[in-house]
Amino acid sequence: MFLIEAFVYIGTIAFAISGSLIAIKKNLDVFGVLLLGLTTALAGGVIRDLMIGNIPPTNLADPQYFLVSLLASIATILFYDKINRFEHGILFSDAIGLGVFTAVGANAAINLDYSQPFLIVAMGLVTGIGGGVLRDVFVREVPLVFRKEIYGIASIAGSIALIFTYEILSPIISLYICLTITLAIRILAVKCKWNVPIVHKKTTVNKRTFNS
């Protein structure tokens, strides 16, 4: 149980930093930075809990996750210059959050005795990408999961790995495997420029016949 909570804290901090960094780069005010950090860190879990009927959502009923997110966002504001020195800081923190919350979401589905693989993967995916999607929408960006970059696929792969290893290995080890696979695919996709093919719309030229 302690390790699961540690997972959640790590993901919460990583996503809060990711959201706050993007907010600062978009020149938002202090309230905007804090709000975007909180949204990125907490929204995925809230959406997951609403899906399974866990009301009020854990992230809202228990203030500790709110406080951790808030402190991480404040720290990002105070030490922005130092954090921003790390190349690809946003991508790395976002990838950590994606991996952690994918694992936590998929694990939550299994702990609730959901055995359908599709539902387990869906809960891992929603928990992993929910906060990031809202973050990008709030700053008027097309969410990463809708672009050519491999993002949601990394989350799906991690959830599938958790399903296959959960019964064979211990739950904690399967969580680490899910996190590792999701994180590795996301980082490799960025480093190696792996992309999902884009659907290009075909343009047609209307030909008109002019009679003299």
Side-chain angles (χ1 to χ4, degrees):
M1 186 67 180
F2 172 77
L3 287 177
I4 300 295
E5 289 186 359
F7 256 65
V8 177
Y9 283 128
I10 292 171
T12 299
I13 293 170
F15 262 160
I17 293 173
S18 168
S20 299
L21 286 173
I22 289 178
I24 294 172
K25 288 182 181 294
K26 292 289 185 178
N27 296 318
L28 272 62
D29 61 18
V30 173
F31 181 77
V33 174
L34 297 179
L35 182 59
L36 203 65
L38 290 168
T39 299
T40 310
L42 304 178
V46 171
I47 296 171
R48 177 201 64 220
D49 286 350
L50 292 176
M51 285 176 59
I52 63 177
N54 184 22
I55 300 173
T58 304
N59 287 343
L60 300 182
D62 193 340
Q64 62 182 342
Y65 300 114
F66 174 88
L67 293 175
V68 168
S69 304
L70 186 62
L71 289 174
S73 294
I74 293 173
T76 304
I77 295 173
L78 295 176
F79 302 105
Y80 172 74
D81 290 336
K82 294 182 179 180
I83 296 174
N84 195 44
R85 290 176 186 173
F86 293 98
E87 189 177 3
H88 303 307
I90 293 176
L91 289 172
F92 187 68
S93 58
D94 186 74
I96 292 175
L98 176 67
V100 168
F101 280 120
T102 294
V104 170
N107 181 71
I110 294 176
N111 287 340
L112 290 171
D113 295 326
Y114 293 125
S115 59
Q116 303 93 330
F118 178 81
L119 184 55
I120 295 171
V121 171
M123 287 187 63
L125 180 64
V126 167
T127 310
I129 72 172
V133 169
L134 284 179
R135 174 200 64 205
D136 293 342
V137 169
F138 284 169
V139 295
R140 296 184 179 181
E141 294 281 351
V142 177
L144 277 173
V145 72
F146 299 147
R147 301 183 211 168
K148 63 181 181 179
E149 293 186 18
I150 291 179
Y151 192 80
I153 292 175
S155 176
I156 292 171
S159 295
I160 292 173
L162 186 142
I163 292 171
F164 278 108
T165 59
Y166 198 86
E167 298 295 335
I168 302 173
L169 306 172
S170 68
I172 294 301
I173 293 177
S174 66
L175 279 173
Y176 278 112
I177 291 174
C178 177
L179 166 61
T180 302
I181 289 178
T182 304
L183 178 61
I185 292 176
R186 177 63 186 140
I187 295 297
L188 285 172
V190 173
K191 296 286 287 184
C192 302
K193 301 187 186 304
W194 294 344
N195 294 312
V196 178
I198 297 176
V199 178
H200 294 283
K201 62 181 180 179
K202 295 181 179 180
T203 57
T204 58
V205 179
N206 293 325
K207 295 181 179 180
R208 295 183 178 180
T209 302
F210 295 93
N211 296 322
S212 57

